[in-house]
Amino acid sequence: MAAVIHGNPSLRLAALLPVAISILFAGPAMAALENQTGQVTVFWGRHKDEGSLREACDSGMYTSIIMSFLNVYGNGRYNLDLSGHQFITGVGDDIKHCQSAGISISLSIRGNHSLPNKQSALDLFDHIWNAYLGGSQKGVHRPFGDAVLNGSSPRHSNGGVTKKPIRLTATLPCGFISHHTNGGVVITTGIYERIHVRFFDDDDHTDHYNSYSEDAWDSWTAAYPSSRIFLGLPASQEAAKEGYLYPKSLYYGVLPVVQKAANYGGVMLWDRYYDESSKYSGYVKRWA
C-alpha cells in the first residue's frame, strides 16, 4: 500500500476497531498505483486440514497470505488465534521461507473489539511492533521467533507522534460503503493501501444467484482511487453461505469488468482450506 497513517495513530485505530473489519499490516508498498493482474491473496490459519503455511506458499497460487487472526480485547489483552493449528512452532521458519519466495505474509487483526482509549491504541501498535514486526522489547513474546511479518514499523515518541508509517489493508463487506455515505468515516483517511471488498455473505449485495454487484464495485473503485481494490470471493460453495461465483461466471462476466479499473488489485479468497480442496485459485491465477 502506498497510503500511510499521518498524525496521531491512536485516533485512527480507535476509530477503526469497533467497526468489525480486518486490519492487516500488509506487504510491499506500491511505487505507483497501476493495474496489476495475477495477484491472489488468501487467508490462512483457521483449519487444521488446510496444510502448513509453507505448503500454501509452495503451491504457487498466491502472491500474499494473511494469517488470521490476532484478537484484540483492549487493556493490553491480545490473543493470537490460529485455531486451525495447535502447534505453531514451525510457522516462523515458514514465514521466512515464503518471504524468500517473494510472498507477502501479513497478520489479520479482528476488528470487532473497541479500544477503550487512545493509549490502548498506541499500546496495540507497540505490541504488534514488538511481537510481530521488527521490535524486541523485553517481556514481549514473539510467537514466530525472529521472523518479521511484512509491514512498516510503527514507532512512537513520548508525544505519541508516528515516526514511521504503517501500511494497512481493510477487508470489508461490499455493502459497507452504502452504510457510510457520511464521509465513509472509517476508510476515507487515505491510510489503506489495499481494500478487499467481500462479495459474499453480505445481505446488501449477495445472494445464492448474484454474488457480484458491478454498481458496488464501481462505487468502491471510484471512492478510493489511491487504494488497490481487491475482489473478495469464497473459494468454494462451502466457504460461504452466499456469494459463490462459478469459474465461468468469473471468467466471462466479472473479471473483464473489474480489471478495467485503474486501481484493480487482484482477487482475495476465503480461505486456504476451501481453496486447497476446490482448487479455485487455479482458475483465478490464470485469469486475475
Side-chain angles (χ1 to χ4, degrees), residues 95-107:
I95 290 170
K96 290 186 281 187
H97 171 79
C98 295
Q99 291 170 332
S100 69
I103 300 170
S104 169
I105 307 297
S106 304
L107 178 64

PDB file of all heavy atoms in Angstrom, residues 95-107:
ATOM      1  N   ILE A  95       7.287 -18.574   7.541  1.00  0.00           N
ATOM      2  CA  ILE A  95       7.155 -17.169   7.138  1.00  0.00           C
ATOM      3  C   ILE A  95       8.384 -16.743   6.346  1.00  0.00           C
ATOM      4  O   ILE A  95       8.279 -16.148   5.265  1.00  0.00           O
ATOM      5  CB  ILE A  95       6.965 -16.271   8.374  1.00  0.00           C
ATOM      6  CG1 ILE A  95       5.588 -16.512   8.999  1.00  0.00           C
ATOM      7  CG2 ILE A  95       7.126 -14.792   8.000  1.00  0.00           C
ATOM      8  CD1 ILE A  95       5.403 -15.856  10.350  1.00  0.00           C
ATOM      9  N   LYS A  96       9.553 -17.055   6.875  1.00  0.00           N
ATOM     10  CA  LYS A  96      10.791 -16.664   6.183  1.00  0.00           C
ATOM     11  C   LYS A  96      10.931 -17.390   4.843  1.00  0.00           C
ATOM     12  O   LYS A  96      11.395 -16.806   3.859  1.00  0.00           O
ATOM     13  CB  LYS A  96      11.990 -16.928   7.095  1.00  0.00           C
ATOM     14  CG  LYS A  96      12.044 -15.978   8.279  1.00  0.00           C
ATOM     15  CD  LYS A  96      13.296 -16.145   9.108  1.00  0.00           C
ATOM     16  CE  LYS A  96      13.203 -17.321  10.035  1.00  0.00           C
ATOM     17  NZ  LYS A  96      14.360 -17.390  10.973  1.00  0.00           N
ATOM     18  N   HIS A  97      10.511 -18.638   4.803  1.00  0.00           N
ATOM     19  CA  HIS A  97      10.544 -19.402   3.548  1.00  0.00           C
ATOM     20  C   HIS A  97       9.649 -18.739   2.505  1.00  0.00           C
ATOM     21  O   HIS A  97      10.053 -18.571   1.341  1.00  0.00           O
ATOM     22  CB  HIS A  97      10.084 -20.833   3.803  1.00  0.00           C
ATOM     23  CG  HIS A  97       9.880 -21.640   2.568  1.00  0.00           C
ATOM     24  ND1 HIS A  97      10.910 -22.220   1.863  1.00  0.00           N
ATOM     25  CD2 HIS A  97       8.728 -21.958   1.887  1.00  0.00           C
ATOM     26  CE1 HIS A  97      10.430 -22.865   0.812  1.00  0.00           C
ATOM     27  NE2 HIS A  97       9.109 -22.728   0.804  1.00  0.00           N
ATOM     28  N   CYS A  98       8.452 -18.363   2.914  1.00  0.00           N
ATOM     29  CA  CYS A  98       7.520 -17.724   1.984  1.00  0.00           C
ATOM     30  C   CYS A  98       8.052 -16.386   1.497  1.00  0.00           C
ATOM     31  O   CYS A  98       7.978 -16.060   0.307  1.00  0.00           O
ATOM     32  CB  CYS A  98       6.159 -17.534   2.658  1.00  0.00           C
ATOM     33  SG  CYS A  98       5.318 -19.074   3.088  1.00  0.00           S
ATOM     34  N   GLN A  99       8.574 -15.607   2.412  1.00  0.00           N
ATOM     35  CA  GLN A  99       9.103 -14.291   2.043  1.00  0.00           C
ATOM     36  C   GLN A  99      10.285 -14.409   1.099  1.00  0.00           C
ATOM     37  O   GLN A  99      10.451 -13.575   0.201  1.00  0.00           O
ATOM     38  CB  GLN A  99       9.483 -13.518   3.305  1.00  0.00           C
ATOM     39  CG  GLN A  99       8.280 -13.094   4.134  1.00  0.00           C
ATOM     40  CD  GLN A  99       8.660 -12.551   5.501  1.00  0.00           C
ATOM     41  OE1 GLN A  99       9.699 -12.919   6.067  1.00  0.00           O
ATOM     42  NE2 GLN A  99       7.832 -11.690   6.057  1.00  0.00           N
ATOM     43  N   SER A 100      11.078 -15.445   1.264  1.00  0.00           N
ATOM     44  CA  SER A 100      12.214 -15.641   0.355  1.00  0.00           C
ATOM     45  C   SER A 100      11.744 -15.951  -1.060  1.00  0.00           C
ATOM     46  O   SER A 100      12.479 -15.739  -2.029  1.00  0.00           O
ATOM     47  CB  SER A 100      13.112 -16.776   0.868  1.00  0.00           C
ATOM     48  OG  SER A 100      12.467 -18.040   0.757  1.00  0.00           O
ATOM     49  N   ALA A 101      10.503 -16.436  -1.176  1.00  0.00           N
ATOM     50  CA  ALA A 101       9.910 -16.705  -2.487  1.00  0.00           C
ATOM     51  C   ALA A 101       9.123 -15.507  -3.010  1.00  0.00           C
ATOM     52  O   ALA A 101       8.461 -15.617  -4.051  1.00  0.00           O
ATOM     53  CB  ALA A 101       9.007 -17.926  -2.396  1.00  0.00           C
ATOM     54  N   GLY A 102       9.178 -14.390  -2.295  1.00  0.00           N
ATOM     55  CA  GLY A 102       8.509 -13.174  -2.745  1.00  0.00           C
ATOM     56  C   GLY A 102       7.045 -13.086  -2.365  1.00  0.00           C
ATOM     57  O   GLY A 102       6.306 -12.268  -2.920  1.00  0.00           O
ATOM     58  N   ILE A 103       6.609 -13.917  -1.418  1.00  0.00           N
ATOM     59  CA  ILE A 103       5.209 -13.913  -0.992  1.00  0.00           C
ATOM     60  C   ILE A 103       5.076 -13.126   0.295  1.00  0.00           C
ATOM     61  O   ILE A 103       5.775 -13.395   1.278  1.00  0.00           O
ATOM     62  CB  ILE A 103       4.702 -15.353  -0.798  1.00  0.00           C
ATOM     63  CG1 ILE A 103       4.808 -16.120  -2.115  1.00  0.00           C
ATOM     64  CG2 ILE A 103       3.258 -15.360  -0.287  1.00  0.00           C
ATOM     65  CD1 ILE A 103       4.564 -17.612  -1.973  1.00  0.00           C
ATOM     66  N   SER A 104       4.197 -12.155   0.303  1.00  0.00           N
ATOM     67  CA  SER A 104       3.987 -11.303   1.464  1.00  0.00           C
ATOM     68  C   SER A 104       3.153 -12.044   2.508  1.00  0.00           C
ATOM     69  O   SER A 104       2.119 -12.631   2.192  1.00  0.00           O
ATOM     70  CB  SER A 104       3.267 -10.020   1.032  1.00  0.00           C
ATOM     71  OG  SER A 104       2.836  -9.284   2.159  1.00  0.00           O
ATOM     72  N   ILE A 105       3.593 -11.999   3.769  1.00  0.00           N
ATOM     73  CA  ILE A 105       2.870 -12.628   4.870  1.00  0.00           C
ATOM     74  C   ILE A 105       2.440 -11.545   5.862  1.00  0.00           C
ATOM     75  O   ILE A 105       3.282 -10.826   6.404  1.00  0.00           O
ATOM     76  CB  ILE A 105       3.721 -13.680   5.600  1.00  0.00           C
ATOM     77  CG1 ILE A 105       4.288 -14.697   4.597  1.00  0.00           C
ATOM     78  CG2 ILE A 105       2.889 -14.378   6.669  1.00  0.00           C
ATOM     79  CD1 ILE A 105       3.242 -15.503   3.866  1.00  0.00           C
ATOM     80  N   SER A 106       1.141 -11.449   6.088  1.00  0.00           N
ATOM     81  CA  SER A 106       0.590 -10.423   6.953  1.00  0.00           C
ATOM     82  C   SER A 106      -0.238 -11.052   8.057  1.00  0.00           C
ATOM     83  O   SER A 106      -0.529 -12.247   8.040  1.00  0.00           O
ATOM     84  CB  SER A 106      -0.283  -9.459   6.141  1.00  0.00           C
ATOM     85  OG  SER A 106       0.426  -8.890   5.076  1.00  0.00           O
ATOM     86  N   LEU A 107      -0.643 -10.215   8.999  1.00  0.00           N
ATOM     87  CA  LEU A 107      -1.447 -10.667  10.125  1.00  0.00           C
ATOM     88  C   LEU A 107      -2.757  -9.898  10.155  1.00  0.00           C
ATOM     89  O   LEU A 107      -2.767  -8.669  10.110  1.00  0.00           O
ATOM     90  CB  LEU A 107      -0.692 -10.450  11.431  1.00  0.00           C
ATOM     91  CG  LEU A 107      -1.434 -10.825  12.717  1.00  0.00           C
ATOM     92  CD1 LEU A 107      -1.710 -12.330  12.756  1.00  0.00           C
ATOM     93  CD2 LEU A 107      -0.630 -10.399  13.938  1.00  0.00           C
TER      94      LEU A 107
END
